[in-house]
Amino acid sequence: MKIPLFCAPWLLLAAGAAPAETLTLPQALAAARQNLEVAIARGDLAAARADILAANHAPLPQLSGKASNIDLDNGLGGGSLLGRKRIDKSIGIDWTWERGDKRVLRTRAAEQLAAAAQSDLDDVTLQQLLATQAAFLDLLAAQERGSLVEALAQDARQLATTTARRVKAGDLPAQDASRIEIEAQRAAADGQAAVLDRQRAALGLAQLIGQTEAADQLVARGDWSLLHTPPAADVGALVQARPEVRAAASRVQAAQAAADGARALRKSDITWGVSYDHYPGTSRAQVELRAQMPLQWGYSYDGEIGRALAQQRQAEDQLEKTTRLATLELQRMRLEAAGTLERARRHEIEIMPRARAVAQTAEQAYQRGAIGLTDLLDARRTLRATLIDAVAARQEAAKALGAWQLRTRPDTDTPAISTSSAKALP
C-alpha cells in the first residue's frame, strides 16, 4: 500500500471545491505584517509620536483685554468709544516661564513612551507572524493528513471490492467481507473529518492574513525539507533585543522622566505679564508690568512625587518580570525545537519505514492466506496511526523551529519549511 507523504492540493478537488488561492509561507507572513492587529498597533504608535509634539512646546501666551472704571453715575462722556469716552481700556499678554526643565522632562517621557509604542508594534507584528506561521503549518499538516486518509480510504474501498468478489466465489466467509466493509466506511468517515479539519485550518489562516473570499479553500504550499537543528545563540543578547523587553525598558525611562518632572513641580513657574492701558482724561498711554507665581505653603507636591516614584518602581518591576519570562521562554523554545526535531527524525527514519514494511508483509501474507483478516486490519491500523503521528511530529517540529527562527531573527521571513517540493527529513 503506497501512501503519499506530502500534501496534495487535489484533496480539495476530491472534496468538490477548486482551490481559491495557493499560499507559500513567505506570502502568508507578508500578509500578516499588514493585518488589522498590526494596523491597530501602528495607530497607537502614531498617537504616541503625536504626544511628543504636544509635550515639546512652552506654555502658550495668554492675550487679555479689559474695560474698567466705567462710571455709571456720571456717564461715560462724549466722543468715540475707543478715544474719548471715560473707560479705562487695556490689552495685555501673559506668558508662563516653566522652571526646573519641565518641558525637557515632559518631552523626554513622551519620547520614551513613543519608543515603547514602537517596540509594542514590533511585538504585535512578531506575535502575528508567529500565529500566522503556526496556522500555515496547521493547514499544511491538515492537507497532508487529508491526503493520507484519502489514500487509506481508497485502499480500503479496493480491499472491500476484492473481498466482495471473493465472497461470491466462495473463497472467503461473509463475516470477513462485513468487517472489511465496516473498515472502508470508517475510512470514508475519517476522510470527511479530514476535509473539515482542513477547512477549519484554512479559516484560521485566513483570519490572520485578512482573506475573506473563499477562505475555507486556501491551500498551503510547502514541505518539511528545511527542518534542521537550531544553531546556538546568545540567550542574554536575544532577551535584550526582544521587543517586549525593549518596550518595558523604555517605559522605565519614561517613568524616571515623569518622576523627575514631578520633583520639578517644587520649582514654581513664574507668569510674566505686560499690558497697555488707555484712560481719557488721565493718561492715554499707561503700561502695566506684572509677575505672579504660586506660593507653596503647606504643600510641596508630595502626592504627585509619591505617585510618580511608585509608578517608576512598578515599571522597573515589570521590566524585571518581562526579562525573566523572556529568558525562560527562549530556553524553552530552544529545547522544544531540538526535542521535536529529534522526534520527527525518529518517526521518519525508524518508525515509519518499519510500519510500512509490516503493513506490506501483512498484505502479501493475507493474499497467500498465511494470516487472518484480524492481523491484516491490525497492520493497516498501525500504519495509519504511524503515518498520522509522523505528520504530527513534523508539524510540531516545524512550529517549534519556526518560532525559534522568528524569535531570534524577527527581521527575516526565513521559513522553517521549504516552499518547493523536496525530500523529507534526512
Side-chain angles (χ1 to χ4, degrees):
M1 179 171 54
K2 184 177 181 181
I3 307 295
L5 287 180
F6 300 107
C7 60
W10 52 261
L11 179 62
L12 298 177
L13 298 176
E21 184 177 356
T22 300
L23 283 178
T24 63
L25 181 55
Q27 290 173 338
L29 294 179
R33 291 182 181 275
Q34 307 298 327
N35 69 11
L36 289 179
E37 294 294 335
V38 176
I40 292 172
R42 198 172 285 122
D44 292 338
L45 174 60
R49 287 175 175 172
D51 288 339
I52 299 176
L53 298 178
N56 189 22
H57 70 81
L60 297 174
Q62 300 291 323
L63 179 66
S64 61
K66 71 175 182 177
S68 61
N69 293 331
I70 300 175
D71 192 344
L72 299 180
D73 290 335
N74 300 317
L76 301 179
S80 64
L81 179 63
L82 295 178
R84 302 291 298 174
K85 291 186 181 298
R86 291 190 299 273
I87 301 175
D88 186 2
K89 302 171 289 294
S90 69
I91 185 171
I93 189 169
D94 296 88
W95 177 75
T96 300
W97 172 32
E98 287 186 306
R99 301 172 64 215
D101 292 330
K102 293 185 180 69
R103 176 182 176 181
V104 173
L105 296 171
R106 185 171 63 243
T107 304
R108 185 180 304 166
E111 290 173 344
Q112 291 300 324
L113 289 177
Q118 176 64 65
S119 297
D120 287 340
L121 172 60
D122 296 340
D123 187 47
V124 170
T125 302
L126 181 56
Q127 293 296 335
Q128 294 303 303
L129 293 178
L130 289 169
T132 301
Q133 180 174 250
F136 182 91
L137 295 173
D138 287 342
L139 177 56
L140 189 66
Q143 291 173 180
E144 185 170 343
R145 282 193 299 270
S147 298
L148 294 173
V149 171
E150 177 65 22
L152 289 168
Q154 183 177 357
D155 286 344
R157 288 192 298 269
Q158 291 176 354
L159 181 60
T161 301
T162 303
T163 303
R165 289 198 298 265
R166 293 180 62 182
V167 170
K168 290 182 179 180
D171 189 30
L172 198 68
Q175 184 178 1
D176 287 354
S178 298
R179 293 178 62 187
I180 293 176
E181 181 62 30
I182 292 173
E183 289 295 322
Q185 293 176 357
R186 290 180 59 185
D190 290 341
Q192 293 176 347
V195 171
L196 179 59
D197 288 341
R198 186 205 59 76
Q199 291 173 339
R200 288 172 177 168
L203 290 173
L205 177 60
Q207 181 178 359
L208 292 166
I209 65 175
Q211 180 82 17
T212 56
E213 297 181 0
D216 62 331
Q217 299 176 22
L218 283 176
V219 177
R221 180 167 61 88
D223 58 49
W224 321 96
S225 61
L226 295 185
L227 288 178
H228 58 276
T229 303
D234 184 357
V235 174
L238 291 174
V239 167
Q240 297 303 318
R242 283 173 65 118
E244 69 269 32
V245 175
R246 289 189 281 109
S250 296
R251 289 190 171 92
V252 170
Q253 298 297 324
Q256 291 175 350
D260 293 338
R263 295 188 188 95
L265 292 174
R266 289 177 173 174
K267 291 187 177 182
S268 298
D269 299 337
I270 300 176
T271 300
W272 305 97
V274 60
S275 62
Y276 173 81
D277 295 304
H278 175 268
Y279 187 63
T282 300
S283 174
R284 294 186 177 182
Q286 294 178 334
V287 175
E288 178 187 38
L289 300 177
R290 56 186 174 273
Q292 56 182 342
M293 62 182 296
L295 300 177
Q296 299 183 22
W297 290 348
Y299 185 69
S300 300
Y301 295 97
D302 294 332
E304 288 83 350
I305 295 173
R307 180 177 179 81
L309 291 176
Q311 290 177 335
Q312 179 182 345
R313 289 191 294 270
Q314 187 181 36
E316 292 170 350
D317 292 340
Q318 185 64 38
L319 172 59
E320 182 178 359
K321 175 184 176 181
T322 304
T323 303
R324 289 181 180 179
L325 292 177
T327 302
L328 293 175
E329 185 185 23
L330 282 176
Q331 293 173 352
R332 174 187 60 79
M333 291 174 66
R334 173 157 178 83
L335 290 175
E336 286 183 353
T340 55
L341 182 61
E342 179 60 28
R343 176 171 175 265
R345 284 175 173 168
R346 185 177 296 274
H347 272 84
E348 198 76 26
I349 297 174
E350 299 178 9
I351 300 176
M352 194 162 57
R354 292 179 181 177
R356 287 181 180 278
V358 169
Q360 185 176 3
T361 301
E363 294 281 351
Q364 295 173 355
Y366 179 75
Q367 295 296 333
R368 297 194 306 267
I371 63 173
L373 179 61
T374 299
D375 293 333
L376 174 63
L377 295 180
D378 286 343
R380 281 174 169 253
R381 290 167 186 166
T382 300
L383 177 59
R384 176 187 182 280
T386 301
L387 293 176
I388 292 179
D389 287 346
V391 174
R394 289 194 292 267
Q395 176 187 5
E396 188 178 3
K399 281 186 174 182
L401 182 59
W404 173 260
Q405 289 177 338
L406 287 175
R407 275 298 185 187
T408 55
R409 292 182 293 174
D411 295 331
T412 63
D413 287 341
T414 302
I417 62 172
S418 175
T419 58
S420 61
S421 179
K423 63 180 180 180
L425 291 172

